[in-house]
Amino acid sequence: MPLSHSRIWRAVDRLAERQGLSASGLARRAGLDATAFNPSKRLGPGEAARPRWPSTESLTRILEVTGTSLAEFAALADDPGPRPALPVLGMAQAGLDGFFDDAGLPTGDGWNWTDLPRPGRSLFSLEIVGDSMVPLYRPGDQVIVDRDGPEPRRGDRVVVRTLSGETLAKELAALTPSAVNLRSINPDHPDRKLARREIDWISRILWVSQ
């Protein structure tokens, strides 16, 4: 299917989302004007607004800075349909009346919604080995990670794969351009500091089956 005007802008928005950025943030990361991908720039002025397309140069730059291939970008233009979602409520609200029925299930209008990760080739599960994350994760627990998810942030629980083949489940204490500091939940295990050049990939843990 050809990349129509709407599909190519959809791909830009989804690439930004995959990087944990807004469209403006993606433009800035690529060294472009922050307004280059704004919705207001996607149509010309007037009632008979003509579609405006991102330039080949701007697309090339965002692909380069995100390490995205043209085929991956084209796949982002496809509409996969709505994501499954779960009701979500703040812990403080959960202690109040009116949010659960007699069976303990969500009820009422005070709930928001949170997206579930969409099944795909970038999602996979790993089984926890060792006790460095006890009591948070125990040996045999299964965690789900997304290799195409946004870059983890400080405080996230992550899986790290090193170029030497070591795979670690830790808490991300700090992430700099040159190093990654990892914290073990279990105080009997030391924290780890790895150079970025030692790391094959690092992904946030989305879900755990215990």
Side-chain angles (χ1 to χ4, degrees):
M1 183 182 297
L3 285 177
S4 64
H5 178 264
S6 61
R7 292 182 73 239
I8 203 166
W9 281 116
R10 181 189 303 150
V12 170
D13 289 337
R14 287 185 174 157
L15 179 58
E17 180 184 358
R18 195 168 74 170
Q19 298 293 314
L21 300 168
S22 63
S24 297
L26 179 62
R28 286 193 295 268
R29 179 175 289 185
L32 304 170
D33 185 278
T35 65
F37 298 147
N38 282 6
S40 61
K41 296 290 187 74
R42 301 179 186 186
L43 293 172
E47 294 183 2
R50 300 183 62 180
R52 288 178 172 171
W53 298 68
S55 69
T56 302
E57 179 186 1
S58 63
L59 291 179
T60 299
R61 290 171 74 170
I62 63 173
L63 295 183
E64 287 178 348
V65 298
T66 60
T68 303
S69 70
L70 187 57
E72 290 171 326
F73 181 78
L76 291 173
D78 294 330
D79 187 358
R83 291 185 178 185
L86 286 175
V88 60
L89 185 70
M91 290 289 286
Q93 290 176 291
L96 304 177
D97 293 334
F99 291 103
F100 297 93
D101 62 18
D102 292 340
L105 297 174
T107 189
D109 299 326
W111 294 80
N112 293 317
W113 293 89
T114 183
D115 288 340
L116 290 174
R118 182 183 306 283
R121 295 179 62 185
S122 64
L123 284 173
F124 55 89
S125 179
L126 296 168
E127 184 173 308
I128 296 294
V129 176
D131 60 354
S132 70
M133 294 293 280
V134 169
L136 186 63
Y137 303 142
R138 300 180 182 277
D141 289 348
Q142 294 180 337
V143 297
I144 290 179
V145 298
D146 184 0
R147 287 290 298 110
D148 285 342
E151 184 173 75
R153 299 179 180 179
R154 183 168 60 88
D156 285 344
R157 276 76 180 196
V158 296
V159 171
V160 179
R161 173 79 173 178
T162 69
L163 291 173
S164 64
E166 187 178 14
T167 304
L168 309 167
K170 299 287 184 182
E171 182 178 289
L172 183 60
L175 183 67
T176 72
S178 60
V180 175
N181 293 338
L182 302 170
R183 187 171 76 89
S184 298
I185 300 297
N186 186 342
D188 292 336
H189 289 257
D191 297 340
R192 295 283 299 273
K193 182 175 182 178
L194 300 171
R196 291 291 289 259
R197 64 177 180 273
E198 298 179 68
I199 294 175
D200 185 12
W201 52 261
I202 177 170
S203 295
R204 184 165 58 92
I205 293 174
L206 303 178
W207 183 83
V208 58
S209 173
Q210 297 178 307

